[in-house]
Each structure stands twice: as C-alpha cells, then as structure tokens.
Amino acid sequence: MRRIARIALRTILFGALAGIAALVVAVMVTMASLPSFNDMMQKPNGQTVRVHAADGSLLLALGPSYGDWLPHDRIPKVMQDAIVAVEDRRYYSHPGIDPIGIARMFYVAKRLHDEGRRLQGGSTITQQLARNIFLSSNYSYARKIREAILALAMERKFSKAQILELYLNRVYFGGGAYGIDAAARKFFGHPGDHLTLAESAIIAGLVKAPSHYSPSADAQAARDRASVVLDVMVDAGTLTPAQAAGVDLKAVTFAPEPKQNSVRYFTDWALAQLDTLVDEQSAPLDVWTTLDRKMQDAADAAIRQNTPEGLQGALVSMENDGAVRAMVGGTDYVSSIYNRATQAERQPGSAFKLFVYLSALEAGVKPGDPVTDEPITIDNWSPRNSSRRFLGDIDIRTAFAFSINTVAAKIGQQVGFDSVADMAKRFGISTPINTHPSMVLGTSDVRLIDMTRAFAAISANGTAVAPYGILKVTTTDGTVIYQREQSQPRVLVAPFVAAEMTDLLQTAVNVGTARAAQIGRPVAGKTGTTNSNKDGWFLGFSSGLTTGVWMGRDDAKPIPGLQGGRNPAQAFASFMRVALQSRPAEKFDTDVTLPEWQLEPDDEAYFGNPDQGFGGDAAPPATGGDEVTGDVPELQPAPAPGNAPTLPDAPPAPATPPRADSQEPQLDQRWLDNVLRDQRKPNPTQPATPPR
C-alpha cells in the first residue's frame, strides 16, 4: 500500500511539475507573441466624429469615442485608486491572476453559468484587459484559461503602471465612451486628467454595468453606484472615512446630452459630404458646422407649431453665402429620417414663376411695362386665372402681384420655355425641368433646398449661392485638415435684374398672398400652391437670411385648404422673427408699397371654401390640351378702367447692364454654358427659342 501511495504521490508531483512546465512554456510563448506597448496603445477600429454647431457647442457624437490617450502620470491618482479598489483590490500584489479570486470563481461558476450570468470575482484588471484586447466575450472555462495565460504573459512583459494605463485608456465606460478621457468628456464635459474624487468614483462604478449605471441613462443610479465605490475605497485603505464623507455626489454636474431630433436632418446632410472633403478614415475628427442652435430651435418650433396634423413640413434657412443655419426635414426625425428639405421632389406651383419673371427681366422687361391679361392658347393648352376673369391691360408688377397665370404663360412663350428652364438650372435647380408650356406654372418637381438657394441668389444681388454646412474639420488635438475657403462669386444675373425681381417679390409680402409672412421689417418672397392643394410653399428673404418652407403629405394626396400663403408663410414668419432678432433691419434696393386692392389669388382662396380647388398659385397638369385649374373661389373684380388706382412707377434702374470693362461683377458665360450643358429637355411641340 505504501508503495502504491508513493507511486501515486510521485505521479501527482510529476503531473503537477509537468503542468507547471507547460504553463511556463505557454506563458513564455505567449509573451513572445504579444505586441509591443506602443502597438497595444492603438485604438480599436471605428472612427469617432464629433459635430459642433457654429458656436462650438457639441451637436452630435457618432461612432465609438476614445478621447485622448492619457499616460500613467497624467491619470489622476484618485481615478487609479478608485478603479483598483472596485475592480482588483490585490492588483499590485498578484502576478496577473488572483488565486483567491479564482477560488471564488470556481465556487460560484456553475451556478452563475446555469443562470446565464457573467462569471464573477475571478478576473483581475490584467485579465479584463487581455479579454478586451485579444479575446471574445463568450463565457467558458477554455476562454478563462486562455485569459489567465495572457494575463500572466502581460505581467511578465509590462509593468503594473503600463497595464493600468492600457486598461484605463481602453476599458468601456458606457455611452460609446472607451477610456477615461472619453468618459470624462461625455459625462462631465472636460478632459480625463481633471477628474475629481467624486467624478472618479462615478466613472469607476460604470465598469460593472455601463448601460445600467450610465449617467446619461440614470443619473441617480450612477450616484448610488459611486457611493458604493467610495465605501470600497475606504475598506481598501485608499480613502479615509472623513474623505469619503466629504464627497458630495449630488453636487456633481453631468454634461447635457445633445439633442437627437431635428438637428439630425442637418447632420445627416452635412456629414454625407465629409468623405469628399477629408481622407482621414481612422483618427477621431471634430467637424465644425454652420448650424445656429438658436435658429435650429426656432425652425423646429415653427414647423411643429404650424404644420397641420397629419402633414409633413420642412424648412431650410441659409445666409447669402450659402451657409445653412437651420434645417428641418420633417416633423419628427425619430419617426421618419427622410429629409424632405434635401431629398423630396415636389411641384413648386407659382413659386416657380421666379424663373419666368427673371427670364423676362433679363430680356429687358421692366416691372412697370404694360402687358395684357387675356385668353391665350399655346399648343392646345389654355391656362386660366383663378378669378376666371381677365383684367385686360395691366403691368408686369400687377401681373406678378395677382400671380396671373395667363401672363406667366405669355411671358414663357415670348422668352422661350427653354430659356425659363435654363434660368432655373442657372439658379441651382438640379432636378429635370420640362419645357412644356405649363412648366411656367411649376409642373416640374424640385427640391426645397434648391428653391431656397435660388431665392438666396436674388437676396445676394444675383450671385450664385451654393449651400454648405461644414466650415472646418480638425483632429482632436486641433490640427486643421480641412478649412472652407470663400468661393469666387459667380454672377447669375445682373444686379439690376436682381433688384427688379426683389421689387416683384416684395409686392407679394406687402399686399398679396404672403401677407402672413410679414415680420415688421422688409421681406421679399413668393408663395406656391400646387394642383389640388397637394403642396404649400413659401420662400423669402430678409436682412441677408433666406428661408424656404414646404408642407404637404408624403403620398402627395390633396389637402383641402392648404395654401402657400397660409401655414408655410406663418411658419416662415414664426422662424424669421426669432432668427433675425439680433440683426438690424435692412431695406431692399427697391422699396415698394402697392394699393390694398391688389391681392394675389392665394389670399382669396384663403377666405374661400377650403374644399375648393387651388388658386392662382396652383399648377395645372403638365399634359397638353385645354387644361384649366378647376373650381376656384371668385377673385374680387378689378376696378373698372379709368377708376383703378395708378401704380407707382418702378424705381429707376440702369438702362443697360454694366459694361464689360466696369468693376461690377460680370456674367461668366463659359461657366453658364457648362451649367446648362445637356440640361435642356426639348419641347417636342415647339421649336426651341434661344435665350435672349
């Protein structure tokens, strides 16, 4: 028996020695294959992008956040003590694995595994680091063995200070934040090397269950967990009871969470351009944008408060240089991420007459020139006015004020429908424009952002406006890798043409359809209402800011009572009153006030039966034939000839465009030709008329 016992003992000892030898070999082999410390400092895949408003405040953070790498000597001592106390009290005395912790792990492992819970108490900080870097998160004995070997190897290769530095810069603290610098910036709004004892206790408490204890999810739970961490630190001897009692966790201020609703329409649009601006694909980036927080809030409120129930609304507002200050692509981003400000294509109705009258003004027509409102037929298409009457001899300004469809059709025929289409393309309309006669009444689909940039170009005295949202892009250390440069102005129409167009646009706001857009300072703009009231538009500008508003249904069904001069104009006014509060009022080059009797048909439709069809702002179908606009409320008849008030003469304007040798901005014909190349759609029923 003694011999058998000796043999068994020798076998056990031999097996133990062999196991130890195998473990040593495994640790040595693993240690040799470990990356260097510098390689271990590399951040995981996934780029972080932080988007800032024009005032520098954070709008949105996308992707995992890693923050700056903090060397061991820059990590606050209270942060080191807190994480060691709560995660691995014997960190400085064990060789990478904690025998006491392992014994505890095996004691409860079976029960926790059956319950589907994480194995507790056996993982040291070194083991957690090994798992985070090299292993998956599936819980098994095999993984724990590999984890232990890696931990032993790492302890042989790196110092305790290096391992703790790696851990605190790579561990996940919740909210997308990896490392204490990212966590400090996210939860407290400052770098990780400025953490207080209270803040350190909160961050240290997050490792156990980041989603549960995250301050952004439950601030009180985070404070309660931090209180436990302070007690553990006292028990571990790294904190005195008096020090722990002096910590006021209620006084800790958490950084506010950026809004995630309407601002996402803007950030989605702006960040889509990022790949064309920078080549950096891995380093964290800070993107500085043009968005104004105050204006964005006002835009969001204007759309929510003025869009009728069951409809969608969109708004874009930009400066004369194209800087987008506010963008709302729908009533609720959470329920619909579809951006109706930049993606939706809808008929603009009479808002498209901007390009019709621009073509006429550029061809030499003046606001005070006479024109006859009379029946007209073009290729079997006979437009009619909403009043079902004809005013006879009037002038251009009156025709625009009344939004007379027959006059718009006559102008389109005279200047050429292809010229009107070219004008729209010149001003930034990127969608196809048909050249059927009815196109003058807005039967081609357009985007709100394109229409807004076109009106902004008039506000900018006829120079091209290209919307943009990104000012600069930097790395987290402030290195600028993209800076927007001011583009050279491109003249679309002569300044006097833009001034005459402003004359006409101001008329609509002063006495016409867009009176709801008045805000107590000069405003120029135009309403649009499409066939069967499917779409309502208002686009206008004041004091250097241009804003476009659209309302309608995504399925393009008719909406009884929807008029451009109603809810869209009201939303415009609501937004602009707030957006322009800090700006001085600016008078236009042309200041026009017309008699009260001059009303655009949208205004008459406002007082009519809402179940009736559209008014003069409506666009008939694009098909040929004798199409009319349907049943409409009667417009008040114009005063009899001889009794009508006399319109004021148009303000003096240059008789001819500036000479080529003057210092005024000039039309760039080569650029215009490139813009218009292959953009015209030939009218199969009418010969093309070259631009005049």
Side-chain angles (χ1 to χ4, degrees), residues 210-288:
S211 61
H212 179 70
Y213 296 120
S214 172
S216 57
D218 189 337
Q220 188 56 47
R223 291 188 174 95
D224 292 343
R225 173 62 178 166
S227 179
V228 174
V229 172
L230 292 174
D231 291 340
V232 172
M233 292 178 70
V234 171
D235 188 56
T238 56
L239 202 65
T240 66
Q243 289 174 321
V247 177
D248 185 3
L249 294 173
K250 293 182 180 179
V252 176
T253 302
F254 296 114
E257 285 290 301
K259 291 185 177 181
Q260 299 293 307
N261 197 356
S262 69
V263 73
R264 289 297 303 273
Y265 289 115
F266 172 81
T267 57
D268 288 354
W269 169 75
L271 292 179
Q273 309 161 30
L274 197 58
D275 288 342
T276 65
L277 303 179
V278 298
D279 296 327
E280 180 58 60
Q281 299 294 322
S282 57
L285 299 178
D286 282 290
V287 180
W288 307 86

Side-chain angles (χ1 to χ4, degrees), residues 1 25 71 81 110 122 172 174 183 206 221 276 320 340 370 412 426 493 499 552 623 663:
M1 292 295 294
V25 172
D81 291 342
K110 182 63 170 65
Y172 181 61
L206 298 178
T276 65
N320 283 353
R340 296 154 189 85
R426 190 193 304 182
V493 293
T623 58
Q663 297 301 313

Side-chain angles (χ1 to χ4, degrees), residues 276-591:
T276 65
L277 303 179
V278 298
D279 296 327
E280 180 58 60
Q281 299 294 322
S282 57
L285 299 178
D286 282 290
V287 180
W288 307 86
T289 72
T290 60
L291 187 123
D292 184 290
R293 275 190 174 275
K294 181 180 178 181
M295 293 189 191
Q296 181 65 27
D297 290 342
D300 195 25
I303 291 299
R304 284 188 288 103
Q305 294 169 8
N306 291 282
T307 303
E309 186 177 357
L311 303 190
Q312 282 290 349
L315 182 151
V316 177
S317 187
M318 65 182 69
E319 304 282 0
N320 283 353
D321 69 345
V324 175
R325 296 303 186 193
M327 177 182 290
V328 178
T331 55
D332 183 25
Y333 181 89
V334 175
S335 60
S336 174
I337 65 173
Y338 181 59
N339 194 335
R340 296 154 189 85
T342 61
Q343 296 174 282
E345 298 179 6
R346 306 296 289 256
Q347 290 185 355
S350 284
F352 193 82
K353 289 177 183 176
L354 172 79
F355 310 115
V356 178
Y357 281 82
L358 273 173
S359 300
L361 295 172
E362 187 176 60
V365 174
K366 299 298 179 183
D369 285 353
V371 67
T372 302
D373 175 18
E374 60 187 353
I376 183 174
T377 298
I378 307 173
D379 298 333
N380 297 321
W381 174 64
S382 300
R384 77 177 185 191
N385 299 323
S386 63
S387 64
R388 304 182 187 176
R389 298 178 184 273
F390 302 101
L391 300 182
D393 293 335
I394 54 176
D395 60 17
I396 291 295
R397 187 182 292 109
T398 304
F400 190 85
F402 276 97
S403 199
I404 302 298
N405 290 336
T406 57
V407 173
K410 184 179 292 188
I411 292 175
Q413 183 183 41
Q414 290 174 349
V415 302
F417 300 113
D418 56 340
S419 294
V420 176
D422 284 352
M423 183 65 72
K425 289 294 181 182
R426 190 193 304 182
F427 272 75
I429 301 302
S430 57
T431 48
I433 303 296
N434 71 68
T435 53
H436 296 293
S438 61
M439 60 91 73
V440 299
L441 305 184
T443 57
S444 296
D445 291 339
V446 297
R447 298 186 182 97
L448 175 60
I449 193 170
D450 288 348
M451 288 294 292
T452 306
R453 73 181 290 193
F455 277 75
I458 301 299
S459 176
N461 297 318
T463 58
V465 173
Y468 67 94
I470 298 178
L471 291 170
K472 68 176 179 179
V473 181
T474 68
T475 56
T476 54
D477 62 1
T479 302
V480 178
I481 58 178
Y482 167 77
Q483 180 79 52
R484 177 179 169 79
E485 297 180 359
Q486 186 174 3
S487 59
Q488 184 176 359
R490 296 281 189 177
V491 178
L492 303 177
V493 293
F496 78 91
V497 174
E500 291 173 343
M501 192 68 242
T502 302
D503 175 340
L504 302 183
L505 291 169
Q506 190 179 11
T507 307
V509 178
N510 285 347
V511 298
T513 31
R515 284 185 295 178
Q518 294 177 0
I519 57 175
R521 65 172 70 200
V523 176
K526 186 72 180 75
T527 57
T529 308
T530 62
N531 191 22
S532 300
N533 304 75
K534 295 177 181 177
D535 304 90
W537 298 72
F538 183 80
L539 302 109
F541 52 86
S542 179
S543 302
L545 190 69
T546 302
T547 300
V549 178
W550 167 87
M551 292 180 187
R553 287 173 58 103
D554 287 337
D555 58 11
K557 290 184 178 180
I559 306 156
L562 178 64
Q563 299 287 338
R566 226 175 148 175
N567 296 85
Q570 291 166 358
F572 170 90
S574 175
F575 167 76
M576 293 290 274
R577 288 190 188 100
V578 177
L580 299 179
Q581 278 181 347
S582 60
R583 301 191 186 195
E586 297 179 7
K587 295 187 67 174
F588 297 127
D589 292 339
T590 302
D591 206 358

